[in-house]
Amino acid sequence: MTSPQTERQQSVLDLLHGLRGQEPLKKLFWTELNYDKANSPISRKGWGEQASGALADDPVLFATGGKDFHVIHARLRSEKLLMGMERPVVSRLLHDHPYSLFIFSNASQDQWHFLNVKYDDDVQKRRLFRRISVTPLDRLRTASERLAKINLADAPNVAPNTIQKLHDDAFDVEPVTKEFFREYGRIFDDIESVSRVFGMPSVSVFLCSVFLTA
């Protein structure tokens, strides 16, 4: 019997595999992740050329957490997801939307970056830009696991700083890295056990010889 958490991750994964256009994006947040519906274009009037010119059209605030946490979709003019185009847009949007998740798509809306901005207290509130990539070339299991963690059903309340913390934790690299090495270690141990059963050379000895002779 599968757990509700596993079922949620699978639902998110299925939507990410079919993430083409705004409708599956809306379903992801409105249905699976329990955000409130919104549909508010954000005017680029008064923006600088670098930020305004990066986009194909006005960004859309399409979901909210409570009243003050915003989920914003911005469609780039380019067919490629270029970080140099995303950064000035985010910097401009942060003026009016300090508690937000920013979602960028390419012009065709078949490649996506989910972008979280975390403030680093150790370096005078330096802004850290962290992305989860969803493209046809990405393996989406990890992306679905991280995005499932921003479900508002898991938030103790809908205060904007509470939801922001939920997002900050979901985008942290350290837990993902630890999980990767745990899985790597498990697979390595399995291969080592099989090699002993069949009398094959030790995998660790083989790897050491490769590195020493490289």
Side-chain angles (χ1 to χ4, degrees):
M1 183 175 179
T2 58
S3 68
Q5 179 72 11
T6 300
E7 291 179 355
R8 179 198 301 174
Q9 290 177 4
Q10 185 60 50
S11 297
V12 172
L13 179 60
D14 292 343
L15 285 169
L16 294 184
H17 277 302
L19 193 54
R20 293 173 181 83
Q22 288 194 358
E23 290 310 309
L25 184 68
K26 290 176 181 178
K27 184 176 181 181
L28 174 64
F29 280 86
W30 294 355
T31 304
E32 295 299 332
L33 300 178
N34 296 297
Y35 288 73
D36 296 325
K37 296 180 181 180
N39 185 25
S40 302
I42 300 170
S43 174
R44 289 175 288 168
K45 184 177 180 179
W47 286 26
E49 176 58 32
Q50 187 179 19
S52 180
L55 300 181
D57 38 38
D58 286 345
V60 177
L61 194 171
F62 73 94
T64 64
K67 293 182 179 179
D68 297 320
F69 187 92
H70 297 162
V71 184
I72 298 171
H73 171 224
R75 187 165 70 99
L76 294 178
R77 187 182 299 275
S78 169
E79 285 298 338
K80 295 182 178 180
L81 291 173
L82 302 175
M83 296 180 185
M85 299 177 75
E86 296 172 1
R87 184 174 287 271
V89 174
V90 171
S91 296
R92 183 61 184 81
L93 286 170
L94 282 171
H95 292 174
D96 301 312
H97 308 274
Y99 298 102
S100 294
L101 173 69
F102 304 100
I103 303 173
F104 286 91
S105 68
N106 63 347
S108 297
Q109 299 184 96
D110 58 4
Q111 300 179 35
W112 304 80
H113 279 163
F114 293 73
L115 193 151
N116 161 266
V117 180
K118 182 179 181 180
Y119 289 89
D120 186 356
D121 291 331
D122 294 335
V123 193
Q124 298 179 344
K125 295 290 185 179
R126 179 182 62 185
R127 290 187 300 200
L128 305 176
F129 289 63
R130 292 100 57 79
R131 295 169 177 83
I132 292 174
S133 178
V134 176
T135 77
L137 299 179
D138 290 318
R139 299 179 65 182
L140 300 178
R141 177 67 62 180
T142 299
S144 66
E145 291 173 354
R146 307 318 295 174
L147 290 174
K149 292 181 180 295
I150 63 173
N151 194 321
L152 288 191
D154 297 331
N157 57 66
V158 291
N161 57 329
T162 300
I163 301 174
Q164 186 68 52
K165 179 65 165 55
L166 191 72
H167 283 243
D168 290 348
D169 292 345
F171 278 74
D172 278 346
V173 174
E174 185 176 355
V176 177
T177 304
K178 287 181 177 179
E179 179 60 31
F180 169 81
F181 280 108
R182 278 197 295 268
E183 182 67 8
Y184 179 88
R186 184 189 65 77
I187 294 172
F188 184 90
D189 289 342
D190 288 346
I191 295 173
E192 189 82 338
S193 297
V194 171
S195 67
R196 284 196 296 268
V197 169
F198 289 96
M200 298 167 63
S202 166
V203 177
S204 57
V205 171
F206 171 75
L207 290 176
C208 286
S209 67
V210 169
F211 287 116
L212 289 173
T213 57

